[in-house]
């Protein structure tokens, strides 16, 4: 039975407490100064804020160039042009993909992320090579983070011969989630695209995650098709829409009925905090499971991204023009337990969260961050952090602890 | 005659050079390895990127709480509600305003800013107390930065008896620029408001800076009134519009004719890189002088802001969804020489800038930043920086050098 005692830590910025962890779970919230028990590892909170660790539920580990020489962006706008740019260049990094994914995941963990849902592009160019890369990172860090892998048809399913077979092979080889993308705009046959995605999900009893970059009424149409299939196939609670930029821009009178159907079918949403934000609080009012992710990081799609979900949380608060503590703390909740709810490892949330994830009975996936308040911690994004996974310290001061 | 040699520095990320500075001006760009001359101070560039130092042309030094205990945001939306919140609280910081302004300006300089245009709120509550605070910071750092002060009627000119007299007294007491704000929305009498502002500017031979938070057609109407007065009074080149959020959202066919008039009358624009950005490249195409600023920093208006214009430059690039080097470097140009052009200390710019501000003859207000390329420096915002003002090192590693 593993035991630890975090001393002098402030759950969600509240008064200092000691926190007892038994077998990877928060067992007791205690007064400061509680004597450690025999055999208990002591983790010095030093008055820092205790938060649930981050969940990044939308990251493309398989394209990362974090830590490699900086490469000027060469893509052209639009999904197909960006995909071709990535395809033309991703092998030229000089470092095998498994090393890149493993290094980037290490940095993510070091910055506080212990739950991850990553894409692995599966297409006629990469075959399963990128999937193998992400699976290697997952395995390398299996004692530091929970990683789900999405078999992701970035190039569509209908444009290139052999795409469907590869996606199915990816599911056989260990992918956890079936991906889909822009059923109208990319494959131009939404019914066939979605039938293939939902069919695979049924066959492999897997959840679904669909990238939706489509604009306004086209996004609404695709979302309606997704809703119809989720209902018809009994996939309640197993479908996530990623991005959904266009949905977020719909007039409220069109968006709300859609959100009501998402709530009914427990369709989750993953955002990357783009500069044009989703109506974040409206989603919370409708009880939509919402998680945050970092998308591509310094890769062939974008020069942005730094493996730091605290930075991304700042970005979410900023793009929403949030200023009040309750709103900025909501962003932290989305970036932590919100993401876990998308992954199904925390309960579905309903409305605003009241400082969740650090109560007795919660899994001890935690982080200590520096700040006077949760809001100031988000504003300052300081490096003095400690990260716990299942009650064990896995990173300290932005470095992994222990052997690789 | 003061002389310095910056060795091994990469102007705008290009090949390494030595840079000779004589009497505060870049005298020669030389090959790396140039032997220093007798009496020449050597500044080791260590392969870092050499850029012009930042110009922050829209900052509210007089409300800052940077470095003080974090205070949760209490304002209500809207300019008047936020002003009342500030008014109710700004004296309660526990530190005199002159200390706060001086400390925040120190941090700004330490992060690379050596040209500043700051607001000093002048109203019936503060009288000239906030102006005195900003003037004290200007004086304390006179050897490290150029500071212009805007006498700023944050509470309007027509709502509270005595406001106009105070603004005029501020100009007599050493303010450099006459401020104005939302001529329609706040004072509700745009002609009287603007006549007062332009009248004062004429009387004191001072430039004008007008905060414009007004939406769409109202912003357009106020801008037209500003244009008319600028033309009628021969104020070409002496008027800046700040924010202009609403103008930035106008349909292109309405915005372009306005930009053509701004160009004709050389009306400048200051932005703070809000999450809904201005059409930055369109402004450049029309030769509009555009500068960047940090607005209120961790004050009674907002919890955001950290005295780091490199962070704000990232924000400008992010909100514009810029990915290519040429676009991100344009943001750096706006944040440096763009701001100087607003202040009149650099030539007006026309179109995109070709790595300006580090050529022979340019004033040696410079910074060395860490990065492989200018874009990666913006992405990483690393702390290893050296800041020069008039050829002398004034900050290193985010700390001021020399005596206070």
């Amino acid at each position: 039975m593993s035991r630890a005692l975090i001393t002098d830590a402030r759950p969600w910025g509240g008064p200092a407490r000691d926190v007892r962890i038994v077998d990877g779970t928060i067992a007791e919230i205690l007064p400061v100064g509680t004597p450690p028990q025999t055999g208990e590892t002591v983790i010095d909170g030093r008055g820092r804020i205790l938060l649930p660790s981050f969940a990044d539920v939308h990251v493309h580990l398989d394209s990362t160039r974090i830590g490699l020489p900086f490469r000027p962006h060469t893509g052209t706008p639009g999904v197909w042009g960006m995909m071709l740019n990535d395809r033309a260049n991703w092998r030229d990094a000089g470092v095998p993909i498994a090393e890149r994914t493993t290094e980037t995941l290490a940095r993510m963990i070091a910055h506080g992320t212990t739950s991850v849902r990553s894409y692995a592009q599966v297409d006629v160019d990469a075959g399963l090579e990128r999937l193998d890369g992400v699976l290697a990172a997952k395995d390398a860090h299996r004692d530091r983070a929970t990683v789900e892998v999405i078999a992701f048809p970035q190039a569509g399913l209908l444009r290139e011969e052999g795409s469907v077979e590869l996606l199915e092979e990816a599911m056989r080889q260990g992918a956890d989630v079936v991906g889909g993308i822009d059923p109208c705009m990319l494959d131009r046959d939404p019914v066939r695209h979605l039938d293939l995605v939902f069919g695979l999900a049924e066959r492999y009893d897997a959840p679904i995650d669909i990238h939706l970059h489509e604009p306004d009424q086209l996004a609404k149409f695709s979302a309606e098709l997704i809703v119809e299939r989720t209902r018809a196939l009994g996939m309640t609670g197993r479908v996530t829409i990623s991005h959904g930029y266009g949905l977020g821009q719909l007039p409220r009178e069109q968006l709300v009925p859609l959100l009501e159907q998402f709530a009914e079918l427990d369709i989750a949403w993953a955002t990357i905090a783009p500069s044009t934000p989703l109506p974040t609080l409206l989603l919370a009012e409708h009880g939509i499971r919402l998680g945050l992710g970092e998308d591509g990081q310094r890769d062939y799609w974008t020069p942005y991204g730094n493996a730091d979900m605290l930075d991304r949380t700042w970005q979410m608060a900023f793009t929403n023009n949030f200023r009040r503590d309750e709103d900025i703390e909501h962003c932290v909740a989305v970036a932590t337990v919100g993401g876990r709810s998308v992954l199904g490892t925390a309960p579905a949330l309903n409305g605003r969260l009241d400082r969740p994830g650090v109560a007795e009975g919660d899994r001890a996936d935690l982080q200590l961050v520096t700040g006077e308040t949760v809001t100031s911690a988000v504003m300052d994004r300081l490096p003095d952090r400690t990260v716990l996974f299942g009650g064990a310290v896995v990173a300290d001061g932005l470095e992994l602890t222990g052997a690789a």
Side-chain angles (χ1 to χ4, degrees), chain A residues 58-191:
Chain A
H58 183 118
V59 63
H60 296 264
L61 276 179
D62 65 329
S63 57
T64 177
R65 288 183 58 95
I66 293 256
L68 297 181
F70 187 80
R71 183 182 180 283
H73 182 65
T74 52
T76 50
V79 168
W80 189 252
M82 294 283 256
M83 188 283 295
L84 288 178
N85 179 58
D86 172 281
R87 188 181 274 185
N89 292 294
W90 74 275
R91 291 179 204 270
D92 302 339
V95 177
I97 185 65
E99 276 183 42
R100 286 152 60 191
T101 56
T102 303
E103 167 63 17
T104 296
L105 182 54
R107 291 200 192 197
M108 290 166 61
I109 296 164
H111 285 79
T113 299
T114 66
S115 292
V116 175
R117 188 184 257 187
S118 172
Y119 297 90
Q121 179 168 340
V122 175
D123 67 2
V124 295
D125 164 68
L128 302 180
E129 199 177 333
R130 296 166 80 138
L131 173 69
D132 291 342
V134 178
L135 290 172
K138 172 180 177 164
D139 186 57
H141 295 296
R142 64 186 176 278
D143 296 331
R144 301 187 188 94
T146 304
V147 178
E148 275 192 9
V149 184
I150 305 168
F152 180 49
Q154 177 80 68
L157 288 169
L158 307 175
R159 299 172 68 121
E160 297 176 315
E161 193 71 43
S163 300
V164 177
E165 294 74 12
L166 275 166
L167 199 68
E168 175 148 18
E169 184 59 26
M171 294 307 297
R172 272 197 293 269
Q173 297 287 324
D176 304 289
V177 181
V178 181
I181 178 170
D182 296 337
C184 293
M185 217 164 63
L186 191 63
D187 268 344
R188 312 190 74 75
D189 186 342
V191 166

Side-chain angles (χ1 to χ4, degrees), chain A residues 109-305:
Chain A
I109 296 164
H111 285 79
T113 299
T114 66
S115 292
V116 175
R117 188 184 257 187
S118 172
Y119 297 90
Q121 179 168 340
V122 175
D123 67 2
V124 295
D125 164 68
L128 302 180
E129 199 177 333
R130 296 166 80 138
L131 173 69
D132 291 342
V134 178
L135 290 172
K138 172 180 177 164
D139 186 57
H141 295 296
R142 64 186 176 278
D143 296 331
R144 301 187 188 94
T146 304
V147 178
E148 275 192 9
V149 184
I150 305 168
F152 180 49
Q154 177 80 68
L157 288 169
L158 307 175
R159 299 172 68 121
E160 297 176 315
E161 193 71 43
S163 300
V164 177
E165 294 74 12
L166 275 166
L167 199 68
E168 175 148 18
E169 184 59 26
M171 294 307 297
R172 272 197 293 269
Q173 297 287 324
D176 304 289
V177 181
V178 181
I181 178 170
D182 296 337
C184 293
M185 217 164 63
L186 191 63
D187 268 344
R188 312 190 74 75
D189 186 342
V191 166
R192 270 188 75 202
H193 181 92
L194 290 174
D195 284 352
L196 286 166
V197 169
F198 276 82
L200 263 184
E202 267 204 306
R203 207 140 63 246
Y204 289 86
D205 188 22
I208 288 171
D209 177 288
I210 299 179
H211 266 64
L212 205 56
H213 311 93
E214 295 170 347
D216 44 76
Q217 295 303 312
L218 198 59
K220 179 166 173 283
F221 175 63
S222 287
E224 288 164 355
L225 296 183
I226 292 167
V227 162
E228 288 165 12
R229 279 154 186 75
T230 304
R231 183 179 283 117
L233 298 172
M235 290 283 285
T236 294
R238 307 210 73 194
V239 176
T240 300
I241 289 178
S242 270
H243 296 312
Y245 306 119
L247 301 180
Q249 302 304 305
L250 288 174
R252 193 119 328 183
E253 69 272 18
Q254 295 183 12
L255 178 55
V256 164
L258 208 52
L259 292 183
E260 287 167 352
Q261 294 180 82
F262 285 9
E264 177 206 338
L265 298 168
D266 197 14
I267 292 175
W269 205 323
T271 182
I272 60 163
S275 57
T276 304
L278 299 180
T280 307
L281 299 180
L282 186 69
L283 266 60
E285 282 167 29
H286 285 83
I288 307 299
R289 290 181 290 143
L290 176 66
L292 184 63
E294 299 179 272
D295 209 15
Q297 297 188 78
R298 204 169 189 142
D299 62 3
Y300 304 92
W301 293 67
T302 174
Y304 298 85

